[in-house]
């Protein structure tokens, strides 16, 4: 057995037991690879099984990283075309080089996936190429591309097989004209028109990319609001701001079919509650109505591993499934389908397996929408607090009143802090604004430490920074914001 190296079973070893491990992780996304590295750091002999030729899972290959590379690149184009003039910077002849943009994205993906390869070698995690199947507690059978099987014996197994795009009845994804988020990351040319089905964060991010590159984007959403699950005020503001940028929204509307034609795609739409059908012609359709847990080929039924009512691997508070020695983390279990949630669970389960007290605080997991401006959220929304009957105070501060935001010409949005009426403990923070994804980190840390809004308000914030909006919102909880 080669330590810290890729291996595929040679023919003579077909069906043989290859090695004894403390831990075999199935899946190398942010949940799986982080879990494997942490376990190896803690002295566990660890292997990670991955069916794709590159490591890093959805996040690094077709998720967080390539989408952010394109968002960043398209933001630069937008700024060069429409934003720099206001700063007294004249630029002429700005043009899109789509191939160049895709090359940038591919390079970023490759650097990240190779980075995980390096980290596996550094930490002596064995990378095993092939599809893993659980053949009972303590046994993982890996089938390589050529059909050869290798059996790994292990004390523990962590399932980290992630998620896949959710399908929609009546719509067949061909990744040409009707694409999932994966196809939307690699369109060969800018479509004149694009319909995005689903107003969640992936739809809005990818819709923003193609809109900045020149597409007329219509977002069709079944619910009567975009960004379901986020604070209602954030959804409203985001819709208003993205609308100003040219994105069109058809809310409370369902798509019942999408048929490719010679010219593009014909969609049939209906009101969410029924009503007359209408058709809509477009060039490309992005289907992004959510993601579903991925457990295909894992042999969970045969191994007796229970799923919950939504097809996710059922786990207890320690990531243990109903089968002793089999654990699960990341998108394949309950909770927000986010890379950092998967990573934190990976660390926690590795620490539990090494006899430590691994733990994830689900009340302090941020969520970020990387549009421009960004939306970032952590903790409870106003709707959730109302529903729970929790008495709370609100402190709000707009970016229009922040000196740095004015200097940046980026004054859309606000910071909203929700604090417990009686104790002043911060219960939730919601930000729409420039760099909201970075700004939220401060309040996540504050919440992790059980901070009150008073704690944030009395913390010195550098001037002039966007972060001063967080301090001012905290001051506003008590009605004493200075700059508004
Ligand atoms: C377009 C897009 C943008 C996103 N942007 C963000 C973002 O900005 N921030 C964020 O936090 N999240 C984002 N996400 C979500 C994020 O990618 C997921 O939450 C994260 O990847 C989940 O990690 P995971 O380790 O659970 O699973 P995954 O990353 O899905 O990895 C699972 C891995 O398991 C492998 N696998 C599956 N079955 C087997 C098997 N039987 N044997 C061997 N290998 C197997 C798969 O090939 C895959 O590599 C985005 C997702 C998409 C699609």
């Amino acid at each position: 057995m080669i330590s810290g190296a890729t291996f595929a079973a040679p023919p003579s070893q077909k069906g043989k037991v290859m090695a004894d491990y403390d831990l075999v992780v199935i899946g190398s996304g942010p949940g799986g690879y982080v879990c494997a590295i942490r376990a190896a750091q803690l002295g566990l002999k660890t292997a990670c099984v991955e069916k794709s030729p590159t490591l890093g899972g959805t996040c690094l290959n077709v998720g967080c990283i390539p989408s952010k590379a394109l968002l960043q690149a398209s933001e630069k184009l937008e700024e060069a075309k429409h934003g720099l003039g206001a700063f007294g910077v004249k630029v002429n002849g700005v043009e899109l080089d789509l191939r160049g943009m895709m090359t940038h994205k591919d390079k970023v993906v490759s650097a990240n996936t190779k980075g995980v390869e390096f980290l596996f070698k550094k930490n002596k995690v064995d990378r095993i190429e092939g599809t893993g199947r659980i053949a009972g507690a303590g046994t993982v059978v890996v089938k390589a591309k050529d059909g050869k099987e290798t059996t790994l014996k292990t004390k523990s197994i962590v399932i980290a097989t992630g998620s896949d795009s959710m399908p929609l009845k009546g719509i067949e994804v061909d990744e040409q004209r009707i694409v999932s988020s994966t196809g939307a990351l690699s369109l060969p040319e800018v479509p004149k028109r694009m319909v995005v089905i689903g107003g969640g964060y992936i739809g809005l991010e990818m819709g923003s990319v193609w809109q900045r590159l020149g597409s007329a984007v219509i977002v069709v959403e079944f619910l009567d609001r975009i960004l379901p699950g986020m604070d209602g005020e954030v959804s409203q503001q985001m819709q208003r701001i993205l609308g100003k940028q040219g994105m069109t929204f058809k809310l409370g509307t369902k798509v019942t079919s999408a048929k490719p034609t010679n010219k593009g795609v014909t969609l049939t739409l209906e009101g969410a509650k029924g009503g007359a059908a209408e058709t809509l012609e477009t060039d490309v359709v992005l289907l992004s109505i959510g993601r579903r847990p991925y457990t295909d080929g894992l042999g969970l039924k045969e191994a007796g591993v229970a799923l919950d009512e939504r097809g996710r691997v059922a786990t207890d508070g320690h990531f243990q499934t109903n089968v002793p020695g089999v654990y699960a983390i990341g998108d394949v279990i309950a909770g927000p389908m986010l890379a950092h949630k998967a990573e934190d669970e990976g660390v926690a389960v590795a620490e539990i397996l090494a006899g430590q007290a691994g733990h994830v605080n689900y009340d302090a997991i941020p969520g970020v929408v990387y549009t421009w401006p960004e939306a970032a959220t952590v903790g409870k929304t106003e709707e959730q607090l109302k529903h729970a009957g929790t008495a709370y105070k609100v402190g709000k501060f707009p970016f229009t009143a922040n000196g740095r935001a004015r200097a940046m010409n980026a004054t859309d949005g606000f910071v909203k802090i929700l604090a417990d009426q009686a104790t002043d403990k911060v219960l939730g923070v919601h930000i729409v604004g420039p760099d909201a994804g970075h700004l939220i980190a401060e309040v996540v840390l504050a919440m992790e430490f059980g901070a009150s809004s008073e704690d944030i308000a009395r913390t010195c914030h550098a001037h002039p920074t966007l972060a001063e909006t967080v301090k001012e919102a905290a001051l506003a909880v008590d009605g004493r914001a200075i700059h508004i």
Side-chain angles (χ1 to χ4, degrees):
M1 183 69 232
I2 313 152
S3 217
T6 305
F7 97 92
S12 60
Q13 290 169 316
K14 183 179 170 182
K16 278 198 175 164
V17 174
M18 290 301 295
D20 278 326
Y21 287 100
D22 294 313
L23 172 63
V24 171
V25 181
I26 308 178
S28 74
Y33 86 73
V34 168
C35 175
I37 291 171
R38 183 70 187 121
Q41 283 178 345
L42 291 165
L44 303 186
K45 186 166 163 39
T46 305
C48 183
V49 182
E50 173 56 60
K51 68 185 171 74
S52 298
T54 52
L55 298 173
T58 304
C59 172
L60 270 55
N61 291 281
V62 289
C64 325
I65 295 298
S67 59
K68 265 80 258 179
L70 289 183
L71 278 156
Q72 201 74 49
S74 59
E75 249 171 59
K76 300 261 181 226
L77 179 75
E78 177 69 21
E79 196 178 16
K81 271 189 171 168
H82 305 295
L84 292 179
F87 292 92
V89 180
K90 278 193 184 169
V91 272
N92 294 314
V94 177
E95 270 179 54
L96 167 66
D97 166 11
L98 187 60
R99 277 177 76 174
M101 211 173 259
M102 291 296 168
T103 303
H104 162 68
K105 176 206 69 178
D106 295 340
K107 276 190 187 158
V108 174
V109 167
S110 169
N112 279 274
T113 58
K114 291 214 169 78
V116 178
E117 269 176 44
F118 163 79
L119 292 172
F120 273 9
K121 285 191 181 129
K122 179 182 162 202
N123 289 283
K124 302 200 182 347
V125 172
D126 287 341
R127 169 189 180 179
I128 303 187
E129 280 187 43
T131 301
R133 173 170 58 82
I134 300 174
T139 307
V140 174
V141 175
V142 184
K143 191 171 188 174
K145 275 230 166 76
D146 60 7
K148 298 202 176 81
E149 289 195 342
T150 306
T151 300
L152 309 173
K153 286 288 181 192
T154 178
K155 288 187 190 134
S156 306
I157 298 168
V158 169
I159 302 169
T161 49
S163 62
D164 202 1
S165 315
M166 188 103 76
L168 183 61
K169 208 172 143 229
I171 298 178
E172 203 167 312
V173 170
D174 59 16
E175 298 295 13
Q176 308 283 325
R177 272 184 266 167
I178 304 179
V179 297
S180 69
S181 56
T182 301
L185 289 166
S186 299
L187 294 179
E189 56 190 42
V190 181
K192 282 207 172 64
R193 302 162 298 176
M194 176 183 256
V195 170
V196 176
I197 308 177
Y201 79 92
I202 293 178
L204 297 185
E205 288 181 5
M206 293 316 301
S208 288
V209 166
W210 290 104
Q211 181 174 293
R212 290 170 193 159
L213 302 188
S215 302
V217 175
I218 301 176
V219 176
V220 181
E221 166 59 52
F222 182 81
L223 298 174
D224 57 4
R225 54 173 286 186
I226 59 167
L227 296 173
M230 283 189 124
D231 190 272
E233 224 175 331
V234 168
S235 297
Q236 272 177 14
Q237 265 285 7
M238 287 301 288
Q239 190 183 332
R240 191 187 65 75
I241 297 169
L242 294 175
K244 258 190 350 192
Q245 292 172 10
M247 206 176 263
T248 310
F249 296 93
K250 276 183 170 287
L251 304 182
T253 304
K254 66 180 173 199
V255 179
T256 53
S257 78
K259 299 267 174 275
T261 62
N262 290 342
K263 289 194 214 136
V265 184
T266 304
L267 292 160
T268 311
L269 313 179
E270 248 176 49
K273 294 180 187 129
E278 59 169 307
T279 55
L280 182 63
E281 302 293 329
T282 189
D283 300 308
V284 168
V285 174
L286 163 59
L287 180 63
S288 54
I289 56 164
R291 298 184 58 81
R292 59 173 178 182
Y294 183 84
T295 55
D296 294 5
L298 262 180
L300 295 188
K301 201 164 172 209
E302 297 74 16
V305 176
L307 301 181
D308 69 12
E309 71 294 344
R310 289 165 67 178
R312 303 172 295 200
V313 178
T315 50
D316 66 12
H318 292 95
F319 312 102
Q320 165 90 55
T321 69
N322 61 315
V323 174
V326 180
Y327 299 77
I329 55 168
D331 279 11
V332 81
I333 70 168
M337 286 183 167
L338 292 170
H340 41 281
K341 176 258 192 190
E343 287 186 37
D344 285 5
E345 289 178 342
V347 168
V349 77
E351 291 180 349
I352 289 169
L353 292 174
Q356 299 186 353
H359 171 72
V360 176
N361 177 5
Y362 290 98
D363 289 331
I365 296 187
V368 181
V369 186
Y370 297 86
T371 46
W372 182 265
E374 294 177 347
T377 176
V378 60
K380 301 279 186 261
T381 63
E382 270 205 82
E383 292 77 15
Q384 285 170 332
L385 292 176
K386 280 189 185 129
H387 189 252
T390 308
Y392 63 94
K393 303 177 279 183
V394 184
K396 258 180 83 174
F397 191 81
F399 281 91
T400 41
N402 174 267
R404 186 63 180 274
R406 285 192 199 120
M408 291 167 66
N409 265 353
T411 51
D412 273 331
F414 59 83
V415 177
K416 172 159 112 175
I417 296 185
L418 306 172
D420 187 275
Q421 178 77 51
T423 65
D424 191 38
K425 187 177 176 186
V426 177
L427 302 175
V429 179
H430 309 282
I431 307 176
V432 172
D435 255 346
H438 288 135
L439 295 177
I440 202 80
E442 164 186 358
V443 286
V444 176
L445 185 68
M447 286 176 71
E448 193 64 49
F449 280 77
S452 62
S453 73
E454 179 79 16
D455 291 325
I456 299 175
R458 291 202 179 274
T459 301
C460 187
H461 286 68
H463 175 77
T465 59
L466 296 173
E468 288 172 289
T469 55
V470 176
K471 176 179 174 149
E472 291 276 2
L475 285 165
V477 171
D478 195 30
R480 56 196 171 96
I482 301 290
H483 291 92
I484 194 141

